[in-house]
Amino acid sequence: MKPLKLALLLGSALIALSPSAFAQTKGGVINVATIGEPPTLDAMASTADLVGIVSQHIFETLYTFDKNWNATPLLAASLPEVSPDGKVYTIKLRTGVKFHDGTDMDATDVVASLKRWTQIASRGKQVASLITSIDVVDPATVKITLNAPHAPLLSLLAFNNAAAIILPSEKQQSPMTEPVGTGPYKLKERKADQYIQLSRFDDYKSPEGEETGYGGARHQYLDEIRFVPVPDANTRVEGAVAGQFDYVDSLPVEAYARLKDQKTTEAVLLKPFGWPVFVMNTSAGITKNQDIRLAIRDSLSMEDMLAAAFGSTDFYSLDASLYPDGYSWKTDAGTEGAYNVADPEKAAELMKKAGYNGEPIRILTSRQYEFHYKMAQVAAEYLKAAGFTVDMQVVDWATLTQRRADPKLWDIYISHSPFLPEPALIGAMSTSAPGNWDTPARKVAVDAFNSEVDPAKRVALWAEVQKVIYAEVPIIKIGDFNALSAKSPKLEGFTPAPWPYFWNVSLKQ
């Protein structure tokens, strides 16, 4: 099951920028401008993309994704051996892998880490009830036993979001007290709101094979990587133009024209990137009521929100399906009459049915992703036109990720997601993710989808899941968008990716 369009784009990027086309040399320090300060470096404990971008250089998972979004071994030696009934995964581990503290990684560390993942990570909690046991077979082999087949397990183990990172068995504390991983770079210094400085891990053991997406060989050309929080989008643009940063993440698309003719920086456009999403609080507050959620959705103009956020249709498109053209998951199931409705009278009828009495709709957003904020402004006006009272709370991204964990503090929060290779990776598919969508209809549809291993049947079952999402509104898709970032012409070997990474990257001498 491959998301073909993105796979082709990433594949062509790999060909165009392959380090084999030139000799790369070791040395140098790069500065990477990010949208802000990550709330944690514990990749298990957060679903924030910013956490994954930084932490993937420090920590590694058993598997990752190649350029075609297929799972490929990372700390594992090979893809798992799966029993005929789909319930037992036997995983061989690479040997000779060291942690940053100098200890050797073995099956004991992997078992302890996977158990921690099922306890604190939303992705791990998603499968915890299905896991009967996680056992050491021998020092280089672990076994995961399920009580029912679960097709997304391998993708969940490969994902860098609420990730199943492998830690030393002695360093499993939560909250994390010491970020020790097996990655190509280790934490050197962190100064809050100033930088996170990573240095080359000299004892790193790279996977073998050609570089392919996040998989294959990971070369450590750079001496250090410095992640610098730059919350203001315009400041990030100016930093790119000034040549202050070697890579600048998440830029407003209106900056594209300015970037494309600069000598100090180059525009990087990832198309298609993903979808903005309004996440609804289904477990507490006013949006616990399904009719209120339907009223919110039916009051909104997705077209106006996208236009405000991205300006030109070169950077966005209206699309109700949770996956765009080119993906096997693309379906219009459940979307008819339920997208880009912008009908205040229809919304008012639903509000009356729900007994709405002027309670404020608390919208949680951040200007660090400027397009989130612009969509929130437009949404607020449409909600007011339907008769809602709106309380828009604009906070920094780290505060937003903290607040969304407490259902008492919000009704809607605005986020976005890249198009993911496996729909089970979408945050709302986990009942423990912020929003806590957990209904009988969700359980029937999602359980059927997750337990089916036949790819063709899973496509049809995903259509049923999308129907339930549109019927119950745990999330609201706004549309599709392209992502803009910028990189220095001095960077060699960089491959555009949803979560930018800097192994295999060098500085032109």
Side-chain angles (χ1 to χ4, degrees):
M1 203 68 59
K2 300 176 184 177
L4 299 178
K5 185 181 286 186
L6 184 55
L8 289 171
L9 282 167
L10 288 180
S12 62
L14 280 165
I15 292 168
L17 300 171
S18 173
S20 63
F22 43 78
Q24 290 180 271
T25 56
K26 277 193 173 185
V29 177
I30 65 167
N31 291 294
V32 178
T34 64
I35 61 102
E37 179 80 5
T40 179
L41 290 180
D42 185 350
M44 284 193 196
S46 177
T47 58
D49 284 344
L50 178 56
V51 174
I53 289 170
V54 177
S55 66
Q56 66 185 340
H57 298 82
I58 303 171
F59 306 106
E60 294 178 314
T61 47
L62 292 172
Y63 300 96
T64 187
F65 293 109
D66 67 16
K67 67 181 181 181
N68 293 318
W69 292 102
N70 295 314
T72 189
L74 183 52
L75 289 175
S78 59
L79 292 175
E81 178 186 325
V82 183
S83 63
D85 64 1
K87 295 182 182 180
V88 180
Y89 286 63
T90 302
I91 300 170
K92 294 287 186 182
L93 307 175
R94 290 169 49 217
T95 57
V97 175
K98 288 189 177 293
F99 289 107
H100 298 158
D101 62 4
T103 59
D104 293 318
M105 183 200 76
D106 63 18
T108 302
D109 303 303
V110 173
V111 168
S113 298
L114 294 181
K115 288 181 177 179
R116 181 181 189 265
W117 179 65
T118 64
Q119 294 164 0
I120 73 167
S122 62
R123 312 289 179 187
K125 291 177 182 177
Q126 194 171 331
V127 294
S129 64
L130 297 171
I131 296 176
T132 302
S133 65
I134 307 171
D135 302 302
V136 173
V137 176
D138 60 48
T141 312
V142 300
K143 181 173 68 174
I144 302 173
T145 305
L146 308 177
N147 55 39
H150 191 69
L153 179 61
L154 191 56
S155 292
L156 288 166
L157 292 174
F159 199 28
N160 77 340
N161 184 287
I165 56 174
I166 305 305
L167 310 170
S169 58
E170 302 83 7
K171 293 181 168 66
Q172 301 285 324
Q173 296 84 359
S174 182
M176 179 179 284
T177 56
E178 189 179 355
V180 174
T182 60
Y185 290 87
K186 61 183 180 180
L187 181 65
K188 181 177 181 180
E189 185 178 20
R190 180 178 188 178
K191 287 196 173 182
D193 299 316
Q194 294 185 49
Y195 59 81
I196 297 171
Q197 191 172 10
L198 309 184
S199 62
R200 183 191 295 115
F201 176 41
D202 291 330
D203 290 330
Y204 179 67
K205 185 172 182 180
S206 169
E208 296 180 354
E210 294 184 2
E211 304 158 22
T212 171
Y214 295 91
R218 294 186 167 190
H219 300 291
Q220 308 159 277
Y221 296 117
L222 301 169
D223 293 332
E224 294 183 356
I225 306 167
R226 184 182 292 229
F227 294 93
V228 182
V230 185
D232 181 73
N234 291 326
T235 304
R236 291 199 297 280
V237 173
E238 294 305 318
V241 172
Q244 181 181 357
F245 302 108
D246 300 284
Y247 183 83
V248 184
D249 194 34
S250 190
L251 295 176
V253 292
E254 57 264 28
Y256 181 74
R258 186 168 181 216
L259 293 172
K260 66 179 181 179
D261 295 322
Q262 297 289 337
K263 294 182 179 179
T264 53
T265 192
E266 299 172 350
V268 178
L269 192 64
L270 193 57
K271 178 180 181 179
F273 176 80
W275 45 298
V277 59
F278 284 22
V279 180
M280 313 295 281
N281 184 348
T282 67
S283 64
I286 186 70
T287 50
K288 186 176 181 179
N289 186 302
Q290 182 172 310
D291 286 320
I292 291 293
R293 299 197 302 272
L294 287 165
I296 290 170
R297 186 193 67 200
D298 290 349
S299 70
L300 297 176
S301 168
M302 280 58 176
E303 187 170 10
D304 284 356
M305 285 190 286
L306 289 167
F310 302 108
S312 168
T313 52
D314 289 341
F315 301 106
Y316 74 86
S317 60
L318 284 166
D319 189 0
S321 170
L322 297 183
Y323 279 88
D325 292 336
Y327 285 72
S328 57
W329 306 113
K330 169 79 173 183
T331 175
D332 294 327
T335 65
E336 185 175 356
Y339 177 77
N340 196 36
V341 179
D343 186 340
E345 293 181 1
K346 183 178 180 183
E349 291 175 4
L350 287 161
M351 292 158 66
K352 183 177 180 180
K353 179 182 175 185
Y356 178 72
N357 195 32
E359 299 90 339
I361 301 294
R362 298 164 296 174
I363 302 176
L364 197 56
T365 190
S366 172
R367 297 200 70 164
Q368 283 163 261
Y369 291 108
E370 187 69 12
F371 68 98
H372 291 188
Y373 175 70
K374 289 178 178 178
M375 288 188 297
Q377 288 182 303
V378 175
E381 295 308 310
Y382 274 93
L383 290 170
K384 291 174 186 175
F388 281 111
T389 303
V390 177
D391 175 13
M392 193 157 77
Q393 301 179 6
V394 184
V395 297
D396 63 84
W397 188 248
T399 300
L400 186 149
T401 61
Q402 291 167 353
R403 286 193 188 177
R404 70 184 182 185
D406 186 345
K408 298 188 294 293
L409 299 180
W410 60 279
D411 300 305
I412 302 170
Y413 82 83
I414 300 177
S415 187
H416 67 271
S417 172
F419 294 113
L420 301 170
E422 162 59 59
L425 299 176
I426 296 170
M429 295 284 278
S430 171
T431 57
S432 62
N436 304 110
W437 181 41
D438 189 6
T439 66
R442 185 218 72 90
K443 180 174 174 56
V444 169
V446 172
D447 285 359
F449 173 69
N450 286 340
S451 61
E452 179 56 64
V453 296
D454 181 276
K457 292 179 180 178
R458 294 192 80 223
V459 169
L461 288 167
W462 170 245
E464 296 303 312
V465 175
Q466 184 172 287
K467 283 182 184 177
V468 179
I469 289 173
Y470 266 90
E472 298 194 341
V473 203
I475 55 176
I476 300 174
K477 181 187 177 182
I478 309 305
D480 300 341
F481 78 104
N482 308 326
L484 178 66
S485 57
K487 78 171 193 70
S488 166
K490 296 178 182 179
L491 276 193
E492 294 185 321
F494 176 79
T495 300
W499 303 278
Y501 56 89
F502 302 98
W503 57 84
N504 299 337
V505 171
S506 63
L507 281 171
K508 192 179 296 183
Q509 299 300 309

